[in-house]
Amino acid sequence: MQTVKVVKDSTTLTLNEADLTGKKIGDGLRTTILNIPGTDGGKWWIEYFPAGYRSLAKAHVSAYNCSNMPAKAKFAFGVDGSSINKTSTYEYSDTRRGVGWSQFASHEELRPLFRDGKLTITCNVEFFFEAPFTYSPPRLFRCCEHVPTDFELVMGTDRLQVHRNLLSLMSPVFHAILSHDTSESPSGEIEITDFDFNTVKAAVDYCYGRDIENSVDLYIQILRFALKYGIKDIASQLESIPLCNLSPETFCSIALYAYDFSKNELLTKCSAFFKINHDKIKGVKKFAELPPEFVVHLLRNAFNLKTDFDVLRYACKNGIDFIVDHMERPYIEKLTSNNLCSAVNYAWECSRGELKKTCAVFVNNNHDKVMTLKLDDQLSNDHFCGLLNLAYGLKDSAPSM
């Protein structure tokens, strides 16, 4: 199981005012090459061009962060003693090119900042590297096993013995409950209805420093528990695990976590991952157990699907039956003139028999309204003829009164 290792560093460069005019466009300078701490030969530096990197950057200083190894980095360039500051996050893949700004700052805004012909630009950088996850449990609670437990967490018929003070220390939510006169506080127990016993026990064991199963899915559940109950220390330790461990097998729990907790950056990564690996992911049993609303959101983002019927077409053609059933039902139960044409095109294109019949019945029952829609202009000839033939057939087969 992987996590993210963060390495921080900084450097400065001194810009000479004379270089703004003394250097030509494309004349570059470089800071000292620095080692990236904790890496095997990783190095980074700043390249800057006082007169601009190219003609489009004329009369500007260009500045770039450079590295000799692929990595994700967040870096900030700032002119000391001024409000000029720019920040970017980037994943280095081509180490032959630096990342930064061709127009970092104009000569006009920099000139008033020079003192004795010089000014300082500082670059702060954070490198993010994937590394094996090392379980580092809090040490405080390793030594409290000799103190009798005095509180219970109740999950259905299961009960978990804990220390009351542990709950207050690890969670502001539990602390608020236990500090006020609530129904749970004097009884010596709290009922937890939104997590199962295994998740709660794993989260509590993590806080105590006990061994837990090394499972991505379990850590995602612990992370959910930590966020729900405000256990910031656990959340900060585990928050990098989802992004580093995306696979077809772990996708469902990670993507649903991102959706439920509005982790937009992670959700974007999940959508991109699904677009590439959707065939494998659809074969995982858990996929069909995901909430339909979430899967619809995922399909829209992954494949840039604009309408309900775009999603339905994709789901129908790719065998995602539980989404087809979920999205078709509202149209079958209540079709309107506003969505009739879209429904017809989808139903005939994807051979959806029940929806075809719904469209034909709507035509028969709303003849005057349908006539104003000019269906022959909005439907293909095959779909238009198919709709009318089915409508006439249903009308002819209806029992006479």
Side-chain angles (χ1 to χ4, degrees):
M1 187 163 61
Q2 299 292 103
T3 187
V4 172
K5 177 183 178 182
V6 181
V7 177
K8 298 181 180 182
D9 206 354
S10 65
T11 191
T12 61
L13 65 90
T14 300
L15 181 65
N16 296 311
E17 186 173 13
D19 286 340
L20 301 186
T21 54
K23 296 291 184 181
K24 298 178 181 179
I25 293 175
D27 286 348
L29 301 171
R30 186 169 66 181
T31 63
T32 302
I33 297 177
L34 301 173
N35 293 322
I36 301 176
T39 64
D40 184 13
K43 300 181 183 298
W44 76 284
W45 63 94
I46 303 299
E47 291 185 358
Y48 62 104
F49 301 79
Y53 175 64
R54 52 185 177 179
S55 58
L56 291 176
K58 183 179 180 180
H60 286 77
V61 172
S62 304
Y64 302 93
N65 190 38
C66 305
S67 172
N68 71 337
M69 63 185 301
K72 180 180 179 180
K74 177 181 179 181
F75 54 94
F77 285 12
V79 179
D80 291 6
S82 79
S83 61
I84 301 174
N85 191 293
K86 291 187 177 181
T87 301
S88 181
T89 300
Y90 190 80
E91 292 195 27
Y92 293 90
S93 54
D94 185 355
T95 57
R96 296 171 298 178
R97 301 175 57 189
V99 180
W101 299 272
S102 63
Q103 298 183 2
F104 168 68
S106 69
H107 292 178
E108 181 180 359
E109 60 185 333
L110 289 175
R111 287 191 187 281
L113 304 176
F114 284 95
R115 298 293 181 267
D116 297 326
K118 300 179 183 295
L119 63 74
T120 301
I121 298 175
T122 298
C123 176
N124 295 307
V125 63
E126 295 181 7
F127 290 99
F128 304 89
F129 300 100
E130 289 192 9
F133 175 70
T134 302
Y135 176 41
S136 302
R139 295 184 179 276
L140 174 62
F141 303 111
R142 285 182 175 179
C143 303
C144 68
E145 296 288 339
H146 64 284
V147 179
T149 56
D150 56 0
F151 206 80
E152 288 186 321
L153 300 177
V154 181
M155 290 69 64
T157 59
D158 295 310
R159 308 177 81 87
L160 182 65
Q161 302 285 329
V162 295
H163 295 90
R164 182 188 184 99
N165 288 338
L166 167 66
L167 296 179
S168 287
L169 285 170
M170 75 180 190
S171 163
V173 177
F174 286 134
H175 178 70
I177 293 173
L178 298 173
S179 298
H180 296 85
D181 186 16
T182 66
S183 60
E184 293 94 343
S185 182
S187 68
E189 65 182 40
I190 297 175
E191 184 177 8
I192 296 178
T193 59
D194 45 358
F195 292 94
D196 62 23
F197 175 79
N198 290 335
T199 297
V200 177
K201 184 178 185 303
V204 171
D205 284 347
Y206 189 94
C207 291
Y208 273 115
R210 298 169 181 150
D211 291 335
I212 60 175
E213 180 186 354
N214 190 26
S215 160
V216 173
D217 286 344
L218 182 59
Y219 275 108
I220 296 299
Q221 289 302 104
I222 295 174
L223 189 53
R224 282 176 170 271
F225 184 86
L227 291 172
K228 172 68 183 292
Y229 289 97
I231 310 174
K232 296 180 181 178
D233 186 56
I234 290 182
S236 63
Q237 288 186 45
L238 304 184
E239 64 182 356
S240 64
I241 286 179
L243 187 57
C244 296
N245 292 276
L246 265 178
S247 71
E249 291 73 27
T250 63
F251 176 85
C252 294
S253 58
I254 291 175
L256 186 57
Y257 155 75
Y259 178 75
D260 288 344
F261 288 91
S262 300
K263 301 294 183 180
N264 294 330
E265 181 181 358
L266 177 59
L267 194 55
T268 299
K269 294 282 187 180
C270 288
S271 297
F273 185 86
F274 182 80
K275 185 175 183 178
I276 297 172
N277 299 279
H278 58 102
D279 285 334
K280 292 181 180 178
I281 293 169
K282 287 184 300 182
V284 176
K285 180 181 178 181
K286 287 184 178 180
F287 182 74
E289 299 171 356
L290 290 170
E293 296 81 3
F294 161 64
V295 178
V296 170
H297 178 88
L298 175 67
L299 295 178
R300 286 183 184 276
N301 286 351
F303 299 102
N304 195 29
L305 305 176
K306 301 299 185 184
T307 70
D308 284 356
F309 290 103
D310 291 336
V311 177
L312 274 166
R313 284 185 179 88
Y314 176 87
C316 187
K317 293 177 181 179
N318 288 274
I320 311 179
D321 295 338
F322 73 104
I323 295 300
V324 175
D325 296 340
H326 169 76
M327 295 189 71
E328 268 190 16
R329 186 52 48 189
Y331 294 104
I332 291 172
E333 294 177 353
K334 190 175 182 180
L335 196 63
T336 70
S337 57
N338 290 332
N339 52 44
L340 175 63
C341 289
S342 297
V344 169
N345 283 327
Y346 159 72
W348 262 261
E349 181 181 333
C350 296
S351 301
R352 304 302 298 169
E354 188 176 5
L355 186 57
K356 283 183 178 183
K357 183 176 179 180
T358 299
C359 293
V361 169
F362 183 89
V363 169
N364 287 337
N365 293 342
N366 300 273
H367 182 267
D368 292 340
K369 186 181 292 186
V370 169
M371 290 298 293
T372 66
L373 298 178
K374 298 182 178 179
L375 295 180
D376 55 333
D377 291 336
Q378 300 187 58
L379 301 175
S380 70
N381 185 61
D382 287 345
H383 294 173
F384 179 65
C385 292
L387 174 64
L388 292 186
N389 288 335
L390 182 56
Y392 291 148
L394 290 173
K395 196 170 184 179
D396 289 343
S397 64
S400 57
M401 301 299 293

